[in-house]
Amino acid sequence: MFGRISIEDADFAELYAVLQKRGIESTRFSRGDILNVGTVKIEMLYPKREDSPKVVSDNNHSIVLRLIYGERKFLLTGDIEKEAEKELLNVINASQAKAAVISVGKESPFGHPHAEVVERWRNSGAKILMTGENGTISVSTDGKDLQIKTFNQPTIFR
C-alpha cells in the first residue's frame, strides 16, 4: 500500500522493482478510497490522487487515514505539514480527539514536534502523549471501550 510516490524516485523505483520481481501486488491509495479489513473500515483522507510521473512525494503528501472500529475512530496523519493540515482542517477538527499520540524522540534534532502543532492539539482539548516523554504508548479498543497505556503510566484512558 502506498500513496503519492513519483515513479522517478530512486528509492521507490528500487522497491517497486523488488515487488514486481517477487510477484507481490501493490496498490496505490488516495483520497476517497476505502479499505475494509474485517470489521475495521479504513478511509483514505489524503493525499489527492495524482497520476503524473513527476508528482511531488514529500512529508506533506503522507497518507492520512481514518480507522473506524465500532464506536471508535482513529486519525493517523503521517508526517503531514501545515499545508496538508489546512486542507484537512475540517476533518481534523471534527475528530474531537481525546488524545494525540506523537511518536518522537526525547530530543529531536529537527525540533519535532513543533510547538504550534502541540498547542493546536492542546487547544482542541486533546491530551498530548509523546513517546519521547512517555515511552511506549499502547492503544487498544474493542470498538467501544478505549485504553491508552504508556510505559510510564499503566492507564491513561479507560
Side-chain angles (χ1 to χ4, degrees):
M1 176 171 86
F2 60 93
R4 192 177 232 191
I5 300 273
S6 171
I7 60 171
E8 294 180 353
D9 178 275
D11 292 331
F12 176 71
E14 184 179 346
L15 171 64
Y16 192 71
V18 170
L19 293 175
Q20 286 188 317
K21 182 178 178 182
R22 294 185 180 174
I24 300 171
E25 185 180 331
S26 63
T27 304
R28 183 170 68 174
F29 289 99
S30 57
R31 178 181 286 162
D33 291 335
I34 295 174
L35 181 64
N36 291 297
V37 179
T39 58
V40 176
K41 180 179 180 181
I42 304 170
E43 300 174 337
M44 310 303 163
L45 303 178
Y46 194 79
K48 295 178 184 173
R49 184 171 199 94
E50 175 61 60
D51 293 324
S52 168
K54 296 183 186 265
V55 67
V56 175
S57 175
D58 57 10
N59 283 352
N60 210 37
H61 293 93
S62 297
I63 291 180
V64 176
L65 307 171
R66 178 173 35 215
L67 280 69
I68 303 169
Y69 178 53
E71 299 172 14
R72 296 296 180 171
K73 296 179 183 177
F74 301 88
L75 183 66
L76 307 176
T77 60
D79 290 332
I80 62 169
E81 297 173 6
K82 192 178 292 185
E83 295 81 8
E85 186 179 330
K86 282 180 186 175
E87 196 169 326
L88 289 164
L89 201 52
N90 290 334
V91 172
I92 292 171
N93 284 341
S95 70
Q96 299 175 337
K98 291 185 172 100
V101 177
I102 302 171
S103 180
V104 65
K106 189 167 183 107
E107 295 181 21
S108 167
F110 305 105
H112 294 150
H114 291 281
E116 62 189 63
V117 173
V118 174
E119 190 62 27
R120 278 197 297 275
W121 280 115
R122 279 200 180 105
N123 289 340
S124 76
K127 177 160 180 64
I128 308 297
L129 300 167
M130 291 186 259
T131 56
E133 294 175 2
N134 301 101
T136 301
I137 300 169
S138 302
V139 179
S140 62
T141 185
D142 61 2
K144 187 172 183 176
D145 293 325
L146 177 70
Q147 288 188 24
I148 300 177
K149 299 178 181 182
T150 71
F151 181 78
N152 296 351
Q153 290 182 279
T155 303
I156 303 290
F157 288 103
R158 264 202 186 275

